[in-house]
Amino acid sequence: MSFFFKPSRPKTPTELVKAIKDSLVALDTKTVVEVKALEKALEEVEKNVVAVKQALAGDGEVEPNPDNVSQIAVEICKEDVLGLFIHKLSILGWEARKDLAHCWCILLRQMVGSSYCCVEYIENHLELLDFLVVCYDNKDIALNCGSMLRECIKFPTLAKYILESTSFELFFKYVELPNFDVASDAFATFKELLTKHETAVSEYLTAHYEEFFELYEKLLTSPNYVTRRQSLKLLSEFLLEPPNSHIMKRYILEVRYLKVMMTLLRDSSKNIQLSAFHIFKVFVANPNKPRDIIVILAKNHERLLALLHNLSVGKGNEDEQFEEEKELIIKEIERISRMPNIV
């Protein structure tokens, strides 16, 4: 007589979502004192996270069922599980955090009908975005939350909310955190926020010009080389974009920011000098320079000309264009230095 073990029936999307929700909620009832109970509860969560990940992404051999993926996304929203993903992340182990962040990214991209239901859920629970931002303060989950945030930023409504929220200012602190990996990840998110959606960024910079550039000046003058270099490069990227031309025109009228670029032209790093030149040249080439700018350029023309004559990109295809631009800027500074009654 032979015995056959009937394989267990795979869970439906509804059952999968209920299982992961119940196991995440169950963590609340366990305390650190109940070590074994907590370990068992965590094992249950990890098992359910793997099951959901396989249903959403496949297991390497079997592709995910699109209808099941859509239904999981709907159930996740209906059962308020997205919030649990974030709030329980710090309790989980490394592998479970990584899998949960992977699930989050798949769910946000999932269209159900003509809409992204998980994105709409977050639009109705915007506090989740603020929570993800402040998670940079927790180095254990910072990188997971960073990848989840960057997935959110792909959607204009969510990016716009973060830009305009009070939590956005925290990025000016996070990009200089002592933990290099966390600081680098925070800068990657910061960069996405300032470059991904041109219209939202332009509207934000217009409405918050003073406070934004005051904070940004601190990054440009940071004692940290990486911070100076990255923030200067990023400034070029978003300031010189056509939708931000009105912001650039305002920026290049201000003496304080000209002085920042002049300081960066003297930086010990050649990379920083070259990046600074590309913004400095806009101050100089501006046909509508205010008198204050002209005075500063005239007063410092000897040092500026010496710096520019020694500045080169080295070997490469950009040599010719760079040299042409540099020559034009040198000629303009020389012209300004000869203007009567300036200094």
Side-chain angles (χ1 to χ4, degrees):
M1 185 175 181
S2 59
F3 293 92
F4 294 95
F5 292 97
K6 188 177 180 182
S8 60
R9 175 183 65 82
K11 286 187 171 90
T12 65
T14 304
E15 290 168 340
L16 271 176
V17 173
K18 185 178 186 310
I20 196 168
K21 179 182 180 178
D22 289 347
S23 61
L24 286 167
V25 170
L27 292 175
D28 290 336
T29 65
K30 313 300 174 191
T31 67
V32 179
V33 178
E34 302 169 289
V35 177
K36 287 189 177 177
L38 182 60
E39 284 177 357
K40 190 173 179 184
L42 284 169
E43 283 176 15
E44 189 64 21
V45 170
E46 288 166 7
K47 183 183 77 175
N48 289 321
V49 169
V50 169
V52 170
K53 188 184 86 165
Q54 287 180 346
L56 292 173
D59 61 5
E61 294 179 4
V62 180
E63 289 294 309
N65 180 312
D67 292 336
N68 285 350
V69 174
S70 293
Q71 198 177 341
I72 289 171
V74 170
E75 292 292 325
I76 286 274
C77 295
K78 191 170 83 175
E79 296 297 325
D80 294 320
V81 178
L82 281 179
L84 288 172
F85 276 13
I86 297 174
H87 292 298
K88 305 300 178 188
L89 202 61
S90 61
I91 307 172
L92 306 181
W94 185 85
E95 196 67 36
R97 289 174 193 158
K98 188 182 75 168
D99 288 346
L100 212 54
H102 187 198
C103 291
W104 172 279
C105 294
I106 294 171
L107 287 164
L108 259 66
R109 294 180 212 135
Q110 182 59 35
M111 285 194 82
V112 178
S114 59
S115 65
Y116 295 94
C117 64
C118 291
V119 174
E120 288 181 354
Y121 179 88
I122 296 170
E123 287 172 351
N124 292 315
H125 298 81
L126 291 166
E127 69 280 358
L128 295 178
L129 295 174
D130 292 309
F131 190 86
L132 279 175
V133 173
V134 299
C135 282
Y136 272 117
D137 273 323
N138 182 341
K139 68 179 188 298
D140 293 332
I141 59 171
L143 303 187
N144 304 115
C145 292
S147 69
M148 293 160 77
L149 258 179
R150 287 189 292 279
E151 193 62 41
C152 294
I153 290 166
K154 291 176 182 177
F155 300 91
T157 53
L158 304 187
K160 184 178 172 67
Y161 172 78
I162 299 170
L163 277 170
E164 294 176 350
S165 71
T166 53
S167 56
F168 175 64
E169 284 191 16
L170 292 170
F171 280 100
F172 291 92
K173 177 186 82 169
Y174 293 148
V175 299
E176 294 212 85
L177 286 170
N179 183 300
F180 179 78
D181 290 335
V182 175
S184 298
D185 195 276
F187 196 91
T189 306
F190 186 56
K191 180 178 178 180
E192 287 283 291
L193 281 165
L194 290 169
T195 56
K196 193 76 179 173
H197 305 286
E198 291 178 347
T199 303
V201 171
S202 182
E203 288 172 359
Y204 166 74
L205 291 175
T206 302
H208 304 274
Y209 176 89
E210 296 288 352
E211 56 264 46
F212 174 81
F213 283 106
E214 191 167 321
L215 288 167
Y216 208 92
E217 183 181 351
K218 292 174 184 173
L219 298 183
L220 293 170
T221 56
S222 168
N224 185 300
Y225 163 74
V226 175
T227 300
R228 289 199 311 282
R229 183 175 177 184
Q230 286 184 326
S231 56
L232 185 56
K233 188 171 184 294
L234 176 56
L235 181 66
S236 294
E237 287 183 39
F238 70 80
L239 198 60
L240 302 178
E241 281 296 313
N244 294 326
S245 60
H246 64 296
I247 301 294
M248 181 196 68
K249 285 174 184 174
R250 185 173 173 183
Y251 188 83
I252 61 173
L253 296 179
E254 301 204 40
V255 167
R256 67 185 288 186
Y257 300 133
L258 170 62
K259 287 179 177 178
V260 170
M261 291 307 139
M262 287 166 59
T263 300
L264 291 169
L265 276 175
R266 301 199 309 269
D267 198 276
S268 58
S269 161
K270 188 172 183 177
N271 287 317
I272 288 179
Q273 290 175 9
L274 290 168
S275 295
F277 171 78
H278 289 299
I279 299 175
F280 171 76
K281 71 184 180 188
V282 188
F283 282 90
V284 180
N286 177 18
N288 302 310
K289 289 185 282 294
R291 180 177 172 81
D292 287 351
I293 296 285
I294 293 172
V295 168
I296 291 290
L297 292 173
K299 276 185 177 177
N300 294 276
H301 75 275
E302 290 181 358
R303 277 186 294 173
L304 287 170
L305 292 173
L307 281 168
L308 292 172
H309 280 301
N310 290 323
L311 189 62
S312 67
V313 294
K315 295 177 181 177
N317 297 327
E318 294 179 22
D319 254 8
E320 193 176 326
Q321 184 185 343
F322 172 79
E323 290 300 330
E324 284 177 7
E325 289 178 348
K326 189 176 81 168
E327 193 58 36
L328 286 172
I329 298 305
I330 287 172
K331 284 180 179 175
E332 177 62 11
I333 293 172
E334 287 173 339
R335 184 189 74 79
I336 288 169
S337 71
R338 295 191 296 269
M339 289 172 69
N341 305 320
I342 285 298
V343 181

